[in-house]
Amino acid sequence: MWMLAAILICSTVLVGCGSKNAKEQPKEATVENNQVVNVFDSKACDAAVANYLENVIGKQYAEGQYSISSPFVISTDNGDLQDVKVWGDFWVFNYNVSGDTLKTVSGGNHPGLMHLKKTDKGMEVTNFEVVEDGAGNLESAKKIFGDQYEAFHEINSNQEKRESIRLQFIADYVKKNNLPVKMVQDYGWPAVELPK
């Protein structure tokens, strides 16, 4: 039994700004004039990425009652708190509630590199370098992801893994916001039960 638990723990997908494959680990807190400075907050980073996806990117799609992001972070470089870099395969979808089901209205994929900075209110996205669509897609993705391209390609091309991640983000959002739903349904597909 403990072996199964160890395997599950080792195979858990890292999806936040505090990802272990960060290029530089968070700095230790230092104290100057009785104030803590130069501390990277991965939760604030996660919140900033989700906020950007839901309230900037999500607003570009047909509106729904709820906008829920599912960012898969490939790598993070937090060496400069005025330019934290987050490479990821970023998804956002808008949903309406119908009975006990979230029905997908709109949404899509926006892989690329987000630049964030630390502010008095936490972290905020200052720039987003998005992988191009169409003919320039591969060249653009390789340029943006660099030596992280293979990791990006692995998640971006694995629909089963992406869907598993999306369902977990939806389930977490539903719990956090006490929504009376148990299922999610994409247009033209059967409803799927959310993970517990």
Side-chain angles (χ1 to χ4, degrees):
M1 184 67 174
W2 65 269
M3 185 66 151
L4 178 59
I7 291 169
L8 288 173
I9 289 169
C10 290
S11 65
T12 300
V13 175
L14 299 172
V15 294
C17 288
S19 170
K20 295 283 189 224
N21 51 349
K23 291 192 174 180
E24 185 170 320
Q25 293 300 317
K27 296 180 177 182
E28 294 295 320
T30 58
V31 178
E32 292 178 11
N33 299 326
N34 295 323
Q35 292 185 349
V36 178
V37 294
N38 291 330
V39 178
F40 176 72
D41 183 345
S42 64
K43 288 184 181 179
C45 181
D46 291 341
V49 168
N51 180 62
Y52 187 84
L53 289 170
E54 293 163 10
N55 294 304
V56 176
I57 303 286
K59 300 284 186 200
Q60 298 171 15
Y61 289 105
E63 190 176 346
Q65 291 172 289
Y66 300 97
S67 186
I68 304 174
S69 61
S70 56
F72 183 89
V73 173
I74 307 296
S75 184
T76 303
D77 179 347
N78 55 40
D80 177 357
L81 295 181
Q82 293 307 303
D83 187 21
V84 173
K85 297 175 183 76
V86 181
W87 290 266
D89 192 23
F90 304 111
W91 292 80
V92 62
F93 292 93
N94 295 326
Y95 304 91
N96 286 332
V97 174
S98 177
D100 68 350
T101 305
L102 279 173
K103 297 204 173 201
T104 306
V105 174
S106 61
N109 179 229
H110 301 270
L113 168 59
M114 289 193 187
H115 295 263
L116 296 86
K117 72 174 181 180
K118 186 174 181 178
T119 69
D120 292 340
K121 297 177 181 178
M123 302 290 289
E124 70 177 44
V125 175
T126 58
N127 186 30
F128 186 26
E129 298 176 48
V130 183
V131 172
E132 291 179 26
D133 288 330
N137 180 267
L138 180 61
E139 182 181 343
S140 172
K142 286 186 172 183
K143 181 180 177 186
I144 289 171
F145 285 95
D147 61 359
Q148 298 294 322
Y149 174 77
E150 289 303 321
F152 159 70
H153 179 68
E154 181 182 334
I155 186 63
N156 185 260
S157 61
N158 188 331
Q159 184 176 353
E160 188 176 319
K161 187 181 241 185
R162 284 195 329 262
E163 184 62 8
S164 173
I165 292 168
R166 181 176 79 116
L167 291 176
Q168 189 59 60
F169 271 103
I170 295 168
D172 292 345
Y173 185 95
V174 163
K175 287 176 195 169
K176 181 179 176 184
N177 293 282
N178 297 314
L179 300 183
V181 298
K182 299 176 184 173
M183 315 275 280
V184 64
Q185 184 175 20
D186 293 330
Y187 183 78
W189 292 89
V192 176
E193 191 169 348
L194 293 172
K196 302 284 185 216

